Amino acid sequence: MNDFITIAIFNFQNEIVVLKSILDNEGIQYYFENEMIVSVDPFASLAYGGIKLKIHPNDRELVQQILDNLDSNLKIV
């Protein structure tokens, strides 16, 4: 996991719930840096630089497509 890169940063844990499910279904290896820290103290998110989505560089294009589609298809009603 030393080769993993940051592709997205989120401020709150609730922002990554749907994304986790999609990445798991696609079989993409990932981890969220600072996820546990922010889950314990949500207001410390800015101090730690947010929750960072780390992926392998080979998955960059696929994950970017997922992030783009998630952003455009997720609507709050």
Side-chain angles (χ1 to χ4, degrees):
M1 294 195 171
N2 291 334
D3 297 337
F4 279 33
I5 59 169
T6 300
I7 193 164
I9 300 174
F10 304 91
N11 291 319
F12 301 104
Q13 193 174 19
N14 63 330
E15 297 173 322
I16 64 174
V17 174
V18 173
L19 180 57
K20 277 182 164 184
S21 176
I22 294 170
L23 294 173
D24 287 340
N25 287 338
E26 292 290 332
I28 297 171
Q29 290 187 344
Y30 68 93
Y31 71 95
F32 285 97
E33 185 178 316
N34 299 331
E35 179 184 8
M36 289 299 150
I37 294 170
V38 174
S39 71
V40 171
D41 185 5
F43 296 110
S45 181
L46 293 175
Y48 291 104
I51 302 171
K52 299 173 185 174
L53 172 57
K54 301 279 195 165
I55 60 163
H56 192 277
N58 293 343
D59 295 325
R60 182 182 207 135
E61 285 184 35
L62 178 58
V63 173
Q64 188 61 57
Q65 286 178 339
I66 291 170
L67 290 169
D68 293 343
N69 287 336
L70 184 63
D71 188 37
S72 64
N73 291 330
L74 195 60
K75 304 277 188 260
I76 298 175
V77 179

